[in-house]
Amino acid sequence: MSATVASAATPSAPSSPRRPRSGGVRRGEAGAGWLFVSPVILILGTFLLVPVLMALWVSFSDWGGRGSPLSPSVNFVGLDNYATITTGGGLQTRDFGTALRNNAWYVLLVVPLQTILSLFLAVLVSRRILRGRGFFRTAFYFPSVTSSVAITVLWLFLFSFAGPVNQILAWFGMNGPNWFNDPRGLVQILLGKLGVTSAPAGLQGTFLGITWWDWLAGPSVAMFALIIMAVFTTSGTFMLLFVAALQNVGYELTEAGMMDGANGWQRFWHLTLPQLRPTLFTVITLGLIGCWQVFDQIYTGTQGGPAKTTMTPAYLSYTAAFQNQNWGIGAAIAFILFLIIIVFTLFQRWVLRDRPVSRRRIRAYQPKGVRS
């Protein structure tokens, strides 16, 4: 009995708290989350992923456009379609090289110009002393919301041989070119003014069926008109992105720079611009994607002319598939264009990455005793 009383009087050891199971509420939340996103997954899978996979299969097959690409009569041809446009050496290779040449000059000029102009406009309409900032923001953004087809038709009128642009140039004593019918490259035109009219010996080699002299010819006069149109219509959209980013820039840093004696350019270059790096990455990425996928301006405007100097890979993919019924060639061009966009995006991401501060710059801000 004493043992029983003793055992009853002895306090029992505190029981360890139960650990919550990994399931339960969390598992229910995960299930609910998948339930809510399942419609979006189904829509994206049906209308995006499945067509992309089928197009990828078409680029490796000899599908002729009739019936299902998955039918037994469609044969797997491997990389033949890709080899035809890259190493075949025929007209399709030359057209692909011409399209890449045209689009490369388009990207090289449009992306920097539209980025610089949109940033300049954003800084301009963000100034506190500017009156009517709302009006100017709307005016600069208005071309971006206008139909690209309407803008292209307007551009064809403005840059016609007897259009307003050439009439304005005539007021200054200049003879305007026949913009959308002039296939000459701008670089070759400038070199011709200097007496260089033929390719030097070192530029007579070929790549994708195009000589290096033609690769370096620059954009044609017709393509240059389209470049001006692209900068005019896209700068307003990117201006709004920069305006939103400038509103989040701390004014304290600007005041500190003013106290240190920095002028306006130094404050912008060393204080404001580094804080705009994420927005700058977004603007350049969207600009690269849009420039490499340019199609509607070419389709409604020049249709690749004159002399294929405004033809782009996107338009070439369309003509190869829907007009010439070479569906495998068209799909192969589209996926090569996809790889080009990925490479350029990764490259500019590497260029705009956050770099560690060098030891030399760190020592410049350390006291003399610490430097030694």
Side-chain angles (χ1 to χ4, degrees), residues 359-372:
R359 295 182 179 180
R360 181 180 60 83
R361 298 187 64 181
I362 292 176
R363 291 175 182 175
Y365 293 95
Q366 289 179 344
K368 295 182 178 180
V370 179
R371 294 180 192 176
S372 60

Side-chain angles (χ1 to χ4, degrees), residues 175-223:
N175 295 324
N178 193 357
W179 291 91
F180 289 106
N181 292 296
D182 195 339
R184 296 177 300 168
L186 295 181
V187 176
Q188 289 185 353
I189 292 176
L190 295 177
L191 292 177
K193 300 291 184 180
L194 301 177
V196 181
T197 58
S198 59
L203 297 178
Q204 293 181 356
T206 60
F207 176 67
L208 293 177
I210 306 296
T211 63
W212 291 110
W213 172 250
D214 291 333
W215 275 97
L216 301 177
S220 66
V221 176
M223 180 61 83

Side-chain angles (χ1 to χ4, degrees), residues 266-286:
Q266 290 174 339
R267 294 195 302 270
F268 173 79
W269 184 259
H270 295 287
L271 298 178
T272 303
L273 191 59
Q275 298 182 74
L276 299 178
R277 184 175 297 175
T279 306
L280 192 63
F281 171 78
T282 302
V283 168
I284 295 178
T285 301
L286 295 177

Side-chain angles (χ1 to χ4, degrees), residues 15-368:
S15 59
S16 60
R18 296 181 178 180
R19 296 182 179 179
R21 293 179 298 175
S22 60
V25 178
R26 292 185 178 180
R27 182 179 301 172
E29 291 178 352
W34 283 108
L35 180 64
F36 280 113
V37 301
S38 58
V40 178
I41 295 176
L42 291 175
I43 293 174
L44 291 178
T46 303
F47 296 101
L48 181 63
L49 182 61
V50 172
V52 168
L53 293 179
M54 291 186 66
L56 182 63
W57 161 249
V58 169
S59 69
F60 292 110
S61 68
D62 61 352
W63 184 57
R66 296 182 179 181
S68 172
L70 304 178
S71 63
S73 60
V74 178
N75 301 315
F76 176 76
V77 297
L79 297 176
D80 289 351
N81 293 323
Y82 292 90
T84 301
I85 59 179
T86 55
T87 60
L91 180 61
Q92 292 176 332
T93 302
R94 182 176 177 81
D95 287 345
F96 181 65
T98 302
L100 278 184
R101 187 270 313 270
N102 300 335
N103 216 150
W105 281 106
Y106 186 89
V107 172
L108 185 64
L109 293 178
V110 170
V111 173
L113 289 177
Q114 72 182 5
T115 303
I116 295 173
L117 180 59
S118 60
L119 181 57
F120 172 76
L121 294 177
V123 173
L124 184 64
V125 300
S126 298
R127 300 185 57 144
R128 299 182 179 182
I129 62 175
L130 179 65
R131 295 182 179 180
R133 288 181 294 176
F135 169 77
F136 287 106
R137 291 179 182 180
T138 304
F140 294 148
Y141 181 67
F142 184 75
S144 300
V145 298
T146 307
S147 171
S148 61
V149 176
I151 292 290
T152 304
V153 173
L154 175 63
W155 227 252
L156 292 175
F157 165 72
L158 293 176
F159 285 83
S160 61
F161 182 70
V165 173
N166 282 350
Q167 292 180 6
I168 294 175
L169 293 177
W171 294 348
F172 297 94
M174 294 182 292
N175 295 324
N178 193 357
W179 291 91
F180 289 106
N181 292 296
D182 195 339
R184 296 177 300 168
L186 295 181
V187 176
Q188 289 185 353
I189 292 176
L190 295 177
L191 292 177
K193 300 291 184 180
L194 301 177
V196 181
T197 58
S198 59
L203 297 178
Q204 293 181 356
T206 60
F207 176 67
L208 293 177
I210 306 296
T211 63
W212 291 110
W213 172 250
D214 291 333
W215 275 97
L216 301 177
S220 66
V221 176
M223 180 61 83
F224 185 70
L226 296 177
I227 289 172
I228 298 175
M229 182 180 67
V231 175
F232 173 75
T233 55
T234 57
S235 299
T237 301
F238 297 140
M239 177 200 69
L240 293 184
L241 297 179
F242 281 122
V243 167
L246 287 172
Q247 292 177 351
N248 294 326
V249 174
Y251 191 70
E252 297 80 6
L253 293 177
T254 303
E255 290 182 341
M258 295 174 63
M259 295 294 294
D260 291 340
N263 56 31
W265 171 253
Q266 290 174 339
R267 294 195 302 270
F268 173 79
W269 184 259
H270 295 287
L271 298 178
T272 303
L273 191 59
Q275 298 182 74
L276 299 178
R277 184 175 297 175
T279 306
L280 192 63
F281 171 78
T282 302
V283 168
I284 295 178
T285 301
L286 295 177
L288 285 173
I289 294 174
C291 289
W292 279 109
Q293 292 181 343
V294 59
F295 171 79
D296 46 355
Q297 296 90 340
I298 308 300
Y299 179 77
T300 59
T302 61
Q303 296 186 353
K308 300 181 181 180
T309 56
T310 60
M311 183 172 57
T312 61
Y315 183 76
L316 180 63
S317 175
Y318 163 78
T319 56
F322 290 92
Q323 294 183 3
N324 302 330
Q325 298 299 310
N326 292 326
W327 294 89
I329 298 295
I333 295 173
F335 279 97
I336 292 177
L337 184 60
F338 169 76
L339 293 177
I340 291 175
I341 293 174
I342 293 298
V343 170
F344 271 85
T345 302
L346 294 177
F347 174 74
Q348 66 98 11
R349 183 177 181 178
W350 175 79
V351 172
L352 295 177
R353 72 190 187 279
D354 292 329
R355 296 178 176 84
V357 181
S358 62
R359 295 182 179 180
R360 181 180 60 83
R361 298 187 64 181
I362 292 176
R363 291 175 182 175
Y365 293 95
Q366 289 179 344
K368 295 182 178 180

